[in-house]
Amino acid sequence: MKHARVLFTGAGPLNGQELDVTVEDSFATTGQLKSKTDGQLINESDVKWLSPIKEPGTIFALGLNYADHARELAFEPPKEPLVFLKGANTLTGHKQNAYRPDNIKFQHYECELVAVIGKEGKNISREDAMDYIAGYTVCNDFAIRDYLENYYRPNLRVKSRDSLLPVGPWIIDKDDVGDISSLKVTTHVNGELTQDGTTADIIFDVPFLVEYLSKIMTLKPGDMIATGTPEGLKDMQPGDKVVCEIEKIGALETYIVSEQEFYGDKY
Amino acid sequence: MTNNPIVKGKLVCVALNDASQFEAMQAEFNEAPYKSAPTQPVLYFKPHNTWSTEGATVEWAVSEGQAADSMVVGASLAVVFGKECCRVSQEEALSYVGGYSLVHDFSLPELTYYRPDIKGKCLDGSAPTGSVVVPACDVADPQALTVVTQVNGETVSEMPVSNMVRSVAELISTISYIMTLQPGDVIAVGFPGQRAPIKQGDKVSSAIAGVIELNNVAGRA
């Protein structure tokens, strides 16, 4: 099953409410979502998609975790995972805006498979790791390369900015996906294929990461592990539409806007 | 693990903000892997599994079934946001502060600042905060505060906030242009550059005289 969260923006009593919905197979043809509360069908045109994780916990992300991407950035593949954390301020949903900061030269998307933790655990073995995964989603872990400095790299200024982690459209149950070791990972910018990889190139896989992280710290439901991105970097400009897609999981669409448009009155 | 009464959203910590440490490291900053001194505040998160409380015993780090050889602790003034804070100037920054508290950062020794230190900084319960938030209106000037830390009753550090590379107001402004801060988000504005080494069972107490104190114990593996 696919689980999503939306803000109802249409007319009527639901206006302004956040709803938990399921996305049925019929969605592709009807554009209707189903409320988990009462089964009511809701038109996609009446909602704003939210990040599908209701109470986000720790957001882990992986750097240089695809063999091809590490080569692209002229790095030796790491011997140990390069893990960094992101703030919940970065989260946004499907079909939402993400901004390009003013006066920068290079901002790129990163299409990533996200494993969502469903059960609390510490010192979880690789063999048991999948028992702790609730499901999967897709994220776009944007980076602004101009802001990289060699301190806690990739630093928060690069990786923890408002709106620069779109997630979604939904969480799909683990068992509906099955094997994740060879899924296509693609990004289209304005319809053009710019990133074309496969999770088969992942260096440290989900079971490894669950074991590795849970040796350090307790993992909890709502924690997310974004597993890194394959090669295929491209600069983004306001007006661009970027779609990050992972086979069997979903296609996440994001619109790039200027800093001024994003922040409006607060700019 | 205990529920923290103060931190609701993000706990952002500032590293390398002790001016004496920053000066002493200038030569090192110019070498690999850093190659040049940081131009921006050096930030890290303490995630939600680390949040803990006054009086808590902090788990001793264990790696591969072995107790860690050494741990260190630092204390910082904790700035607790009272309202949403997005893209604010230094001049208006302090008006977004709901109050102040203390935070202890228990960790493995800070051997390098090159990569995010998940292994060192994300240990369960390693970020206790004070039991209360002292209302901002009761603190005339956060720059005038000094954080004193004792281990087993012996003073190991005295850190005047005025000795930091960047002031509280400057940090709030800079960070608010990176990430919108929400009520209950916390910034730990700076720790002594020399983190205090601790042993299993040590009592760690920090205080801002007349304002707040924070008492913890290093656990046993």
Side-chain angles (χ1 to χ4, degrees):
Chain A
M1 191 175 283
K2 295 170 182 165
H3 312 267
R5 291 180 64 243
V6 296
L7 175 71
F8 193 85
T9 53
L14 288 179
N15 184 271
Q17 284 190 36
E18 291 184 8
L19 305 173
D20 294 307
V21 297
T22 57
V23 184
E24 313 289 324
D25 291 342
S26 57
F27 172 73
T29 47
T30 64
Q32 287 186 317
L33 304 159
K34 192 171 173 184
S35 167
K36 283 195 188 180
T37 318
D38 57 8
Q40 189 181 338
L41 294 174
I42 296 158
N43 291 320
E44 187 192 7
S45 56
D46 284 335
V47 303
K48 171 183 173 177
W49 294 84
L50 303 172
S51 160
I53 295 109
K54 191 168 192 170
E55 291 179 356
T58 302
I59 307 170
F60 300 96
L62 271 288
L64 306 173
N65 198 31
Y66 277 72
D68 59 350
H69 181 58
R71 275 198 305 276
E72 178 181 37
L73 296 177
F75 275 91
E76 286 285 312
K79 294 175 179 63
E80 188 168 349
L82 168 53
V83 181
F84 56 96
L85 306 182
K86 300 173 69 82
N89 63 296
T90 60
L91 294 168
T92 188
H94 177 50
K95 294 189 174 175
Q96 301 307 309
N97 292 340
Y99 80 96
R100 177 184 171 94
D102 297 340
N103 306 314
I104 59 155
K105 293 197 181 77
F106 198 19
Q107 170 179 25
H108 60 77
Y109 50 79
E110 296 187 0
C111 177
E112 307 196 8
L113 168 69
V114 180
V116 182
I117 301 294
K119 189 164 92 168
E120 180 166 322
K122 180 117 198 259
N123 294 317
I124 302 161
S125 73
R126 230 190 125 87
E127 292 69 32
D128 294 339
M130 296 311 282
D131 296 343
Y132 292 79
I133 304 297
Y136 307 104
T137 186
V138 180
C139 80
N140 185 345
D141 183 19
F142 284 105
I144 292 119
R145 301 203 69 78
D146 305 55
Y147 295 156
L148 282 169
E149 292 199 64
N150 289 327
Y151 296 87
Y152 292 147
R153 175 180 173 137
N155 34 319
L156 273 57
R157 190 165 174 242
V158 177
K159 283 292 190 179
S160 244
R161 308 186 75 85
D162 292 346
S163 83
L164 294 187
L165 186 65
V167 175
W170 43 68
I171 296 171
I172 180 167
D173 290 336
K174 166 183 61 182
D175 293 341
D176 292 349
V177 180
D179 180 25
I180 54 167
S181 65
S182 182
L183 302 176
K184 277 177 72 70
V185 177
T186 55
T187 298
H188 285 82
V189 178
N190 304 326
E192 178 197 346
L193 180 69
T194 54
Q195 195 171 31
D196 187 7
T198 159
T199 59
D201 283 334
I202 283 182
I203 299 168
F204 300 106
D205 65 10
V206 170
F208 180 97
L209 293 169
V210 168
E211 177 177 282
Y212 176 84
L213 293 169
S214 73
K215 268 186 196 168
I216 301 169
M217 58 205 285
T218 302
L219 299 179
K220 294 191 181 188
D223 288 355
M224 288 166 256
I225 305 173
T227 55
T229 200
E231 70 176 339
L233 305 180
K234 189 174 182 301
D235 185 35
M236 303 269 78
Q237 292 292 337
D240 285 345
K241 180 175 99 169
V242 50
V243 181
C244 292
E245 181 165 9
I246 297 182
E247 184 183 1
K248 294 188 184 176
I249 296 177
L252 170 71
E253 192 170 316
T254 301
Y255 315 122
I256 310 296
V257 299
S258 70
E259 189 163 0
Q260 182 165 15
E261 182 178 345
F262 182 77
Y263 281 107
D265 293 346
K266 291 177 184 150
Y267 179 73
Chain B
M1 217 176 309
T2 38
N3 286 326
N4 185 284
I6 292 177
V7 191
K8 304 299 179 205
K10 301 186 280 290
L11 172 50
V12 183
C13 299
V14 185
L16 299 175
N17 201 30
D18 176 339
S20 54
Q21 178 195 25
F22 198 82
E23 276 309 304
M25 287 187 69
Q26 285 300 318
E28 194 178 334
F29 289 154
N30 288 322
E31 293 168 9
Y34 308 121
K35 298 179 185 163
S36 59
T39 69
Q40 300 288 320
V42 176
L43 308 176
Y44 60 98
F45 286 118
K46 295 282 284 192
H48 66 130
N49 67 299
T50 70
W51 304 343
S52 185
T53 58
E54 159 68 25
T57 296
V58 176
E59 282 181 43
W60 192 263
V62 173
S63 174
E64 308 291 340
Q66 298 289 311
D69 292 337
S70 48
M71 285 184 71
V72 295
V73 68
S76 169
L77 173 68
V79 174
V80 184
F81 285 83
K83 52 185 174 182
E84 184 174 291
C85 177
C86 174
R87 301 168 71 91
V88 303
S89 68
Q90 279 193 55
E91 291 68 34
E92 58 183 339
L94 295 181
S95 70
Y96 290 84
V97 177
Y100 298 93
S101 191
L102 273 172
V103 60
H104 277 150
D105 177 18
F106 287 82
S107 72
L108 300 180
E110 294 184 342
L111 300 178
T112 168
Y113 300 93
Y114 178 49
R115 290 299 191 189
D117 188 10
I118 307 301
K119 274 186 173 168
K121 293 293 188 191
C122 294
L123 305 165
D124 285 349
S126 63
T129 63
S131 55
V132 294
V133 177
V134 177
C137 56
D138 292 348
V139 177
D141 178 10
Q143 294 301 120
L145 303 175
T146 294
V147 179
V148 178
T149 298
Q150 297 188 324
V151 175
N152 299 328
E154 189 176 324
T155 299
V156 294
S157 68
E158 286 192 35
M159 178 77 181
V161 174
S162 57
N163 281 10
M164 292 183 189
V165 178
R166 291 181 174 85
S167 70
V168 173
E170 181 182 351
L171 288 168
I172 292 172
S173 173
T174 301
I175 294 170
S176 79
Y177 274 85
I178 298 172
M179 59 184 88
T180 299
L181 297 150
Q182 301 293 340
D185 282 355
V186 175
I187 300 177
V189 291
F191 300 85
Q194 289 294 326
R195 301 281 179 124
I198 50 170
K199 303 183 303 297
Q200 295 181 39
D202 279 352
K203 289 183 177 143
V204 180
S205 298
S206 296
I208 296 171
V211 180
I212 189 159
E213 61 179 63
L214 175 59
N215 304 284
N216 296 106
V217 176
R220 296 181 186 277

PDB file of all heavy atoms in Angstrom, chain A residues 61-80:
ATOM      1  N   ALA A  61      21.529  11.026   5.615  1.00  0.00           N
ATOM      2  CA  ALA A  61      21.771  10.989   4.177  1.00  0.00           C
ATOM      3  C   ALA A  61      23.195  10.512   3.939  1.00  0.00           C
ATOM      4  O   ALA A  61      24.075  10.690   4.782  1.00  0.00           O
ATOM      5  CB  ALA A  61      21.542  12.352   3.557  1.00  0.00           C
ATOM      6  N   LEU A  62      23.372   9.895   2.782  1.00  0.00           N
ATOM      7  CA  LEU A  62      24.668   9.298   2.450  1.00  0.00           C
ATOM      8  C   LEU A  62      25.347  10.095   1.357  1.00  0.00           C
ATOM      9  O   LEU A  62      24.696  10.462   0.366  1.00  0.00           O
ATOM     10  CB  LEU A  62      24.460   7.866   1.947  1.00  0.00           C
ATOM     11  CG  LEU A  62      24.458   6.728   2.970  1.00  0.00           C
ATOM     12  CD1 LEU A  62      25.878   6.510   3.486  1.00  0.00           C
ATOM     13  CD2 LEU A  62      23.548   7.022   4.157  1.00  0.00           C
ATOM     14  N   GLY A  63      26.622  10.352   1.542  1.00  0.00           N
ATOM     15  CA  GLY A  63      27.419  10.977   0.489  1.00  0.00           C
ATOM     16  C   GLY A  63      28.237   9.913  -0.209  1.00  0.00           C
ATOM     17  O   GLY A  63      28.644   8.922   0.414  1.00  0.00           O
ATOM     18  N   LEU A  64      28.467  10.120  -1.493  1.00  0.00           N
ATOM     19  CA  LEU A  64      29.391   9.258  -2.246  1.00  0.00           C
ATOM     20  C   LEU A  64      29.074   7.780  -2.099  1.00  0.00           C
ATOM     21  O   LEU A  64      29.962   6.963  -1.960  1.00  0.00           O
ATOM     22  CB  LEU A  64      30.839   9.509  -1.766  1.00  0.00           C
ATOM     23  CG  LEU A  64      31.319  10.961  -1.791  1.00  0.00           C
ATOM     24  CD1 LEU A  64      32.683  11.078  -1.150  1.00  0.00           C
ATOM     25  CD2 LEU A  64      31.347  11.501  -3.215  1.00  0.00           C
ATOM     26  N   ASN A  65      27.772   7.439  -2.141  1.00  0.00           N
ATOM     27  CA  ASN A  65      27.408   6.044  -1.891  1.00  0.00           C
ATOM     28  C   ASN A  65      27.109   5.253  -3.160  1.00  0.00           C
ATOM     29  O   ASN A  65      26.650   4.124  -3.086  1.00  0.00           O
ATOM     30  CB  ASN A  65      26.227   5.965  -0.915  1.00  0.00           C
ATOM     31  CG  ASN A  65      26.094   4.587  -0.282  1.00  0.00           C
ATOM     32  OD1 ASN A  65      27.111   3.903  -0.085  1.00  0.00           O
ATOM     33  ND2 ASN A  65      24.889   4.167   0.009  1.00  0.00           N
ATOM     34  N   TYR A  66      27.321   5.864  -4.313  1.00  0.00           N
ATOM     35  CA  TYR A  66      27.236   5.110  -5.567  1.00  0.00           C
ATOM     36  C   TYR A  66      28.628   5.126  -6.191  1.00  0.00           C
ATOM     37  O   TYR A  66      29.267   6.189  -6.260  1.00  0.00           O
ATOM     38  CB  TYR A  66      26.258   5.765  -6.541  1.00  0.00           C
ATOM     39  CG  TYR A  66      24.807   5.413  -6.318  1.00  0.00           C
ATOM     40  CD1 TYR A  66      24.104   5.907  -5.223  1.00  0.00           C
ATOM     41  CD2 TYR A  66      24.126   4.595  -7.218  1.00  0.00           C
ATOM     42  CE1 TYR A  66      22.758   5.600  -5.026  1.00  0.00           C
ATOM     43  CE2 TYR A  66      22.782   4.280  -7.026  1.00  0.00           C
ATOM     44  CZ  TYR A  66      22.108   4.786  -5.929  1.00  0.00           C
ATOM     45  OH  TYR A  66      20.784   4.479  -5.740  1.00  0.00           O
ATOM     46  N   ALA A  67      29.061   3.974  -6.616  1.00  0.00           N
ATOM     47  CA  ALA A  67      30.413   3.876  -7.174  1.00  0.00           C
ATOM     48  C   ALA A  67      30.597   4.853  -8.330  1.00  0.00           C
ATOM     49  O   ALA A  67      31.617   5.529  -8.431  1.00  0.00           O
ATOM     50  CB  ALA A  67      30.675   2.447  -7.629  1.00  0.00           C
ATOM     51  N   ASP A  68      29.579   4.990  -9.198  1.00  0.00           N
ATOM     52  CA  ASP A  68      29.739   5.871 -10.361  1.00  0.00           C
ATOM     53  C   ASP A  68      29.781   7.345  -9.963  1.00  0.00           C
ATOM     54  O   ASP A  68      30.528   8.133 -10.524  1.00  0.00           O
ATOM     55  CB  ASP A  68      28.621   5.617 -11.395  1.00  0.00           C
ATOM     56  CG  ASP A  68      27.220   5.853 -10.828  1.00  0.00           C
ATOM     57  OD1 ASP A  68      27.083   6.025  -9.598  1.00  0.00           O
ATOM     58  OD2 ASP A  68      26.262   5.851 -11.621  1.00  0.00           O
ATOM     59  N   HIS A  69      29.009   7.740  -8.939  1.00  0.00           N
ATOM     60  CA  HIS A  69      28.962   9.140  -8.511  1.00  0.00           C
ATOM     61  C   HIS A  69      30.267   9.540  -7.823  1.00  0.00           C
ATOM     62  O   HIS A  69      30.776  10.657  -8.001  1.00  0.00           O
ATOM     63  CB  HIS A  69      27.780   9.343  -7.571  1.00  0.00           C
ATOM     64  CG  HIS A  69      27.604  10.739  -7.068  1.00  0.00           C
ATOM     65  ND1 HIS A  69      27.428  11.828  -7.900  1.00  0.00           N
ATOM     66  CD2 HIS A  69      27.567  11.242  -5.804  1.00  0.00           C
ATOM     67  CE1 HIS A  69      27.287  12.921  -7.166  1.00  0.00           C
ATOM     68  NE2 HIS A  69      27.370  12.592  -5.896  1.00  0.00           N
ATOM     69  N   ALA A  70      30.833   8.647  -7.033  1.00  0.00           N
ATOM     70  CA  ALA A  70      32.115   8.938  -6.377  1.00  0.00           C
ATOM     71  C   ALA A  70      33.180   9.220  -7.448  1.00  0.00           C
ATOM     72  O   ALA A  70      33.968  10.154  -7.328  1.00  0.00           O
ATOM     73  CB  ALA A  70      32.532   7.758  -5.490  1.00  0.00           C
ATOM     74  N   ARG A  71      33.159   8.434  -8.524  1.00  0.00           N
ATOM     75  CA  ARG A  71      34.102   8.670  -9.631  1.00  0.00           C
ATOM     76  C   ARG A  71      33.863  10.030 -10.265  1.00  0.00           C
ATOM     77  O   ARG A  71      34.788  10.778 -10.544  1.00  0.00           O
ATOM     78  CB  ARG A  71      33.937   7.598 -10.705  1.00  0.00           C
ATOM     79  CG  ARG A  71      34.727   6.321 -10.458  1.00  0.00           C
ATOM     80  CD  ARG A  71      34.863   5.508 -11.744  1.00  0.00           C
ATOM     81  NE  ARG A  71      33.596   5.201 -12.390  1.00  0.00           N
ATOM     82  CZ  ARG A  71      32.823   4.169 -12.059  1.00  0.00           C
ATOM     83  NH1 ARG A  71      33.192   3.339 -11.091  1.00  0.00           N
ATOM     84  NH2 ARG A  71      31.692   3.951 -12.693  1.00  0.00           N
ATOM     85  N   GLU A  72      32.576  10.358 -10.450  1.00  0.00           N
ATOM     86  CA  GLU A  72      32.212  11.631 -11.091  1.00  0.00           C
ATOM     87  C   GLU A  72      32.769  12.817 -10.304  1.00  0.00           C
ATOM     88  O   GLU A  72      33.181  13.824 -10.871  1.00  0.00           O
ATOM     89  CB  GLU A  72      30.684  11.720 -11.177  1.00  0.00           C
ATOM     90  CG  GLU A  72      30.148  13.007 -11.780  1.00  0.00           C
ATOM     91  CD  GLU A  72      28.615  13.011 -11.797  1.00  0.00           C
ATOM     92  OE1 GLU A  72      27.984  12.503 -10.846  1.00  0.00           O
ATOM     93  OE2 GLU A  72      28.064  13.510 -12.765  1.00  0.00           O
ATOM     94  N   LEU A  73      32.749  12.711  -8.977  1.00  0.00           N
ATOM     95  CA  LEU A  73      33.245  13.794  -8.132  1.00  0.00           C
ATOM     96  C   LEU A  73      34.738  13.631  -7.840  1.00  0.00           C
ATOM     97  O   LEU A  73      35.289  14.357  -7.030  1.00  0.00           O
ATOM     98  CB  LEU A  73      32.466  13.836  -6.816  1.00  0.00           C
ATOM     99  CG  LEU A  73      30.981  14.167  -6.928  1.00  0.00           C
ATOM    100  CD1 LEU A  73      30.318  14.103  -5.567  1.00  0.00           C
ATOM    101  CD2 LEU A  73      30.773  15.550  -7.543  1.00  0.00           C
ATOM    102  N   ALA A  74      35.377  12.670  -8.504  1.00  0.00           N
ATOM    103  CA  ALA A  74      36.815  12.435  -8.350  1.00  0.00           C
ATOM    104  C   ALA A  74      37.183  12.074  -6.916  1.00  0.00           C
ATOM    105  O   ALA A  74      38.197  12.531  -6.385  1.00  0.00           O
ATOM    106  CB  ALA A  74      37.611  13.629  -8.847  1.00  0.00           C
ATOM    107  N   PHE A  75      36.333  11.300  -6.271  1.00  0.00           N
ATOM    108  CA  PHE A  75      36.639  10.788  -4.949  1.00  0.00           C
ATOM    109  C   PHE A  75      36.843   9.278  -5.031  1.00  0.00           C
ATOM    110  O   PHE A  75      36.167   8.605  -5.806  1.00  0.00           O
ATOM    111  CB  PHE A  75      35.478  11.045  -3.976  1.00  0.00           C
ATOM    112  CG  PHE A  75      35.509  12.397  -3.336  1.00  0.00           C
ATOM    113  CD1 PHE A  75      34.846  13.468  -3.926  1.00  0.00           C
ATOM    114  CD2 PHE A  75      36.191  12.605  -2.154  1.00  0.00           C
ATOM    115  CE1 PHE A  75      34.873  14.726  -3.344  1.00  0.00           C
ATOM    116  CE2 PHE A  75      36.212  13.856  -1.563  1.00  0.00           C
ATOM    117  CZ  PHE A  75      35.556  14.926  -2.163  1.00  0.00           C
ATOM    118  N   GLU A  76      37.745   8.789  -4.224  1.00  0.00           N
ATOM    119  CA  GLU A  76      37.833   7.345  -4.023  1.00  0.00           C
ATOM    120  C   GLU A  76      36.543   6.905  -3.336  1.00  0.00           C
ATOM    121  O   GLU A  76      36.077   7.584  -2.424  1.00  0.00           O
ATOM    122  CB  GLU A  76      38.996   7.026  -3.078  1.00  0.00           C
ATOM    123  CG  GLU A  76      40.369   7.165  -3.697  1.00  0.00           C
ATOM    124  CD  GLU A  76      40.672   6.006  -4.617  1.00  0.00           C
ATOM    125  OE1 GLU A  76      40.448   4.860  -4.198  1.00  0.00           O
ATOM    126  OE2 GLU A  76      41.097   6.265  -5.751  1.00  0.00           O
ATOM    127  N   PRO A  77      35.956   5.784  -3.733  1.00  0.00           N
ATOM    128  CA  PRO A  77      34.796   5.312  -2.972  1.00  0.00           C
ATOM    129  C   PRO A  77      35.174   5.145  -1.500  1.00  0.00           C
ATOM    130  O   PRO A  77      36.265   4.679  -1.199  1.00  0.00           O
ATOM    131  CB  PRO A  77      34.484   3.956  -3.611  1.00  0.00           C
ATOM    132  CG  PRO A  77      35.104   4.014  -4.957  1.00  0.00           C
ATOM    133  CD  PRO A  77      36.305   4.901  -4.837  1.00  0.00           C
ATOM    134  N   PRO A  78      34.312   5.588  -0.594  1.00  0.00           N
ATOM    135  CA  PRO A  78      34.665   5.541   0.828  1.00  0.00           C
ATOM    136  C   PRO A  78      34.752   4.111   1.358  1.00  0.00           C
ATOM    137  O   PRO A  78      34.072   3.219   0.867  1.00  0.00           O
ATOM    138  CB  PRO A  78      33.528   6.307   1.503  1.00  0.00           C
ATOM    139  CG  PRO A  78      32.396   6.263   0.540  1.00  0.00           C
ATOM    140  CD  PRO A  78      32.975   6.141  -0.820  1.00  0.00           C
ATOM    141  N   LYS A  79      35.619   3.915   2.354  1.00  0.00           N
ATOM    142  CA  LYS A  79      35.737   2.604   2.994  1.00  0.00           C
ATOM    143  C   LYS A  79      34.692   2.452   4.094  1.00  0.00           C
ATOM    144  O   LYS A  79      34.407   1.356   4.559  1.00  0.00           O
ATOM    145  CB  LYS A  79      37.141   2.436   3.574  1.00  0.00           C
ATOM    146  CG  LYS A  79      38.189   2.399   2.481  1.00  0.00           C
ATOM    147  CD  LYS A  79      39.604   2.352   3.043  1.00  0.00           C
ATOM    148  CE  LYS A  79      40.618   2.298   1.909  1.00  0.00           C
ATOM    149  NZ  LYS A  79      40.579   3.502   1.046  1.00  0.00           N
ATOM    150  N   GLU A  80      34.163   3.575   4.514  1.00  0.00           N
ATOM    151  CA  GLU A  80      33.146   3.595   5.566  1.00  0.00           C
ATOM    152  C   GLU A  80      32.074   4.572   5.070  1.00  0.00           C
ATOM    153  O   GLU A  80      32.406   5.516   4.362  1.00  0.00           O
ATOM    154  CB  GLU A  80      33.798   4.098   6.852  1.00  0.00           C
ATOM    155  CG  GLU A  80      32.931   3.990   8.038  1.00  0.00           C
ATOM    156  CD  GLU A  80      33.716   4.222   9.337  1.00  0.00           C
ATOM    157  OE1 GLU A  80      34.948   4.259   9.347  1.00  0.00           O
ATOM    158  OE2 GLU A  80      33.041   4.376  10.343  1.00  0.00           O
TER     159      GLU A  80
END
